[in-house]
């Protein structure tokens, strides 16, 4: 049996992907009580430790072959003003490394750290170098791969996966982004489509380029669905619709630009509504999990802050298992 330890476990989508290839989670940690409810509903509480990672020590962690850390991306993104490891949230990855150091010879032989693309460039790349150096000081060789969820689901979601291994690392080429599936294939037929008045207000916010794009979609013979974000331009909210038939990267649903809408257009018709919880779950490969213990908004927040399950399954099969079996 191969065992895994998960830090920043969230609602458990890392576990969902690892279990598909037979890697069993023996310890999971997260501080968020709402995400913990979802984790417990789907996986139970036996392995779950809810609390601050800064309070954990090496002696609190069981033995395992793999350890993962999807540490907070808040300070690695534009939304967090690129504070990087100077920020209160993303700096918690250093506590992850501290715990591995505390474990000494019991530290797992393989580790994986996941985050947004800003992890590579925050603070001029110095934060990336800091984490790489920290891994190497613990006796790991380091390598990374970038995988976009668009290879599996109609969501544009590129993430960097950093591996550490006490031995040589040879990683495969990442999977190619597919032209299919399309967003229309995971979209619900029914839904709370906006009223004519709200639809008109939506269309009035579009720039000339965006308006031309939406008009083209509307004239197409086949119906399609397209992701849309609300942004602020010149102090006023505007809508931007994607140039392909997929969603943008799901985000934590706080604030106007974070929540996505779906534009359905074709055969002369057009309709718009907010994306649903079911669609969020499908875009993360997590449609079979339970969400009843929290509100739809809380579940969407947790999903937007999680990994994409089929991406983790691919990485587990093609990257982790070859290392763990050595």
């Amino acid at each position: 049996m191969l065992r895994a330890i998960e830090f920043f476990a969230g609602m458990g989508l890392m576990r969902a992907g690892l279990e598909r290839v037979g890697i069993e989670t023996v310890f999971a940690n997260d501080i968020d009580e709402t995400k913990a409810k979802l984790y417990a509903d789907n996986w139970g509480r036996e392995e779950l430790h809810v609390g601050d990672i800064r309070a954990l020590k090496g002696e609190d962690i069981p033995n395992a072959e793999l350890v993962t850390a999807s540490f907070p991306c808040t300070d690695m993104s534009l939304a967090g003003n690129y504070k990087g490891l100077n920020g209160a949230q993303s700096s918690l990855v250093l506590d992850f490394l501290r715990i591995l150091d505390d474990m000494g010879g019991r530290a797992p032989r393989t580790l994986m750290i996941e985050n947004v693309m800003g992890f590579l460039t925050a603070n001029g790349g110095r934060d990336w170098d800091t984490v790489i150096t920290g891994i190497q000081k613990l006796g790991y060789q380091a390598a990374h791969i970038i995988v976009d969820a668009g290879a599996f689901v109609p969501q544009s979601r590129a993430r960097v996966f950093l591996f550490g291994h006490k031995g040589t690392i040879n990683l495969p080429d990442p999977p190619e982004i597919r032209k299919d599936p399309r967003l229309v294939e995971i979209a619900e037929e029914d839904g709370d489509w906006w009223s004519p008045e709200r639809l008109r207000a939506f269309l009035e916010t579009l720039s000339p380029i965006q308006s031309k794009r939406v008009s083209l979609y509307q004239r197409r013979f086949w119906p399609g669905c397209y992701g849309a974000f609300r942004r602020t331009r010149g102090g006023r909210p505007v809508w931007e619709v994607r140039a392909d038939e997929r969603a943008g990267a799901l985000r934590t649903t706080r604030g106007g630009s974070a929540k996505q809408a779906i534009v359905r257009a074709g055969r002369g018709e057009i309709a718009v509504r907010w994306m649903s919880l079911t669609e969020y779950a499908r875009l993360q490969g997590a449609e079979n999990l339970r969400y009843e213990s929290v509100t739809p908004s809380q579940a969407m927040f947790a999903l937007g802050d999680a990994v994409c399950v089929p991406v983790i399954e691919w990485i587990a099969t093609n990257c982790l298992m070859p290392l763990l079996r050595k």
Side-chain angles (χ1 to χ4, degrees):
M1 178 189 71
L2 293 172
R3 301 162 295 181
I5 298 162
E6 301 172 36
F7 289 98
F8 313 103
M11 64 172 290
L13 298 198
M14 179 70 74
R15 179 172 185 160
L18 294 178
E19 286 198 352
R20 288 186 178 182
V21 299
I23 301 174
E24 181 179 348
T25 296
V26 295
F27 182 90
N29 170 247
D30 201 280
I31 195 172
D32 190 289
E33 293 285 353
T34 299
K35 294 175 186 175
K37 288 182 181 179
L38 289 168
Y39 194 106
D41 264 10
N42 287 285
W43 317 109
R45 289 191 172 272
E46 184 176 353
E47 297 85 19
L48 180 61
H49 180 281
V50 183
D52 195 328
I53 188 175
R54 290 171 291 191
L56 292 174
K57 300 178 181 178
E59 63 190 34
D60 302 320
I61 313 302
N63 294 339
E65 289 71 42
L66 169 69
V67 60
T68 68
S70 295
F71 71 99
C73 66
T74 309
D75 305 305
M76 296 293 176
S77 66
L78 289 174
N81 297 316
Y82 263 149
K83 295 178 183 177
L85 297 185
N86 295 323
Q89 297 298 311
S90 295
S91 62
L92 294 174
V93 69
L94 301 180
D95 278 279
F96 165 70
L97 298 180
R98 171 188 59 77
I99 291 170
L100 294 184
D101 191 25
D102 283 350
M103 293 180 73
R106 291 196 310 111
R109 192 158 176 258
T110 304
L111 67 83
M112 182 176 74
I113 299 173
E114 177 269 348
N115 215 282
V116 298
M117 295 297 292
F119 183 23
L120 292 164
T121 56
N123 287 320
R126 292 187 297 276
D127 292 348
W128 175 261
D129 291 340
T130 295
V131 175
I132 293 287
T133 300
I135 289 172
Q136 292 172 337
K137 285 182 178 179
L138 293 173
Y140 297 93
Q141 291 194 34
H144 75 280
I145 189 173
I146 295 168
V147 180
D148 195 315
F152 308 95
V153 294
Q155 178 191 182
S156 178
R157 190 184 187 87
R159 293 294 184 266
V160 58
F161 294 84
L162 172 60
F163 299 86
H165 182 65
K166 294 183 177 178
T168 58
I169 302 180
N170 294 302
L171 298 179
D173 293 332
E176 294 183 1
I177 297 175
R178 296 163 49 189
K179 292 183 179 179
D180 62 335
R182 299 155 57 212
L183 186 56
V184 69
E185 295 171 5
I186 66 95
E188 294 185 284
E189 284 293 326
D190 300 323
D192 189 13
W193 298 99
W194 293 350
S195 66
E197 293 77 18
R198 191 170 186 182
L199 174 61
R200 184 166 54 252
F202 167 87
L203 295 173
E204 288 174 351
T205 72
L206 299 178
S207 69
I209 292 177
Q210 291 287 317
S211 182
K212 183 178 179 180
R213 176 180 295 167
V214 170
S215 295
L216 176 62
Y217 292 161
Q218 192 173 1
R219 294 195 301 270
R220 286 179 174 174
F221 178 75
W222 65 92
C225 288
Y226 311 87
F229 281 103
R230 186 171 58 189
R231 304 185 185 279
T232 300
R233 296 284 186 265
R236 69 184 187 90
V238 299
W239 282 93
E240 295 180 2
V241 183
R242 286 187 61 90
D244 53 25
E245 295 186 67
R246 63 181 64 221
L250 298 182
R251 306 178 190 180
T252 50
T253 52
R254 286 177 182 164
S257 65
K259 192 175 180 180
Q260 285 197 60
I262 284 184
V263 177
R264 186 179 68 189
R267 297 177 181 173
E269 298 182 351
I270 184 169
V272 182
R273 62 168 169 78
W274 292 115
M275 191 174 287
S276 70
L277 169 57
T278 297
E279 289 156 347
Y280 261 63
R282 288 172 177 170
L283 287 170
Q284 290 288 58
E287 62 270 29
N288 295 325
L289 299 186
R290 299 180 59 183
Y291 299 92
E292 296 87 356
S293 62
V294 300
T295 67
S297 179
Q298 289 172 327
M300 292 167 76
F301 182 94
L303 284 162
D305 206 24
V307 293
C308 184
V309 176
V311 169
I312 300 304
E313 182 181 9
W314 183 91
I315 284 177
T317 300
N318 296 278
C319 302
L320 291 174
M321 292 301 282
L323 294 174
L324 295 170
R325 285 171 174 162
K326 283 186 179 180

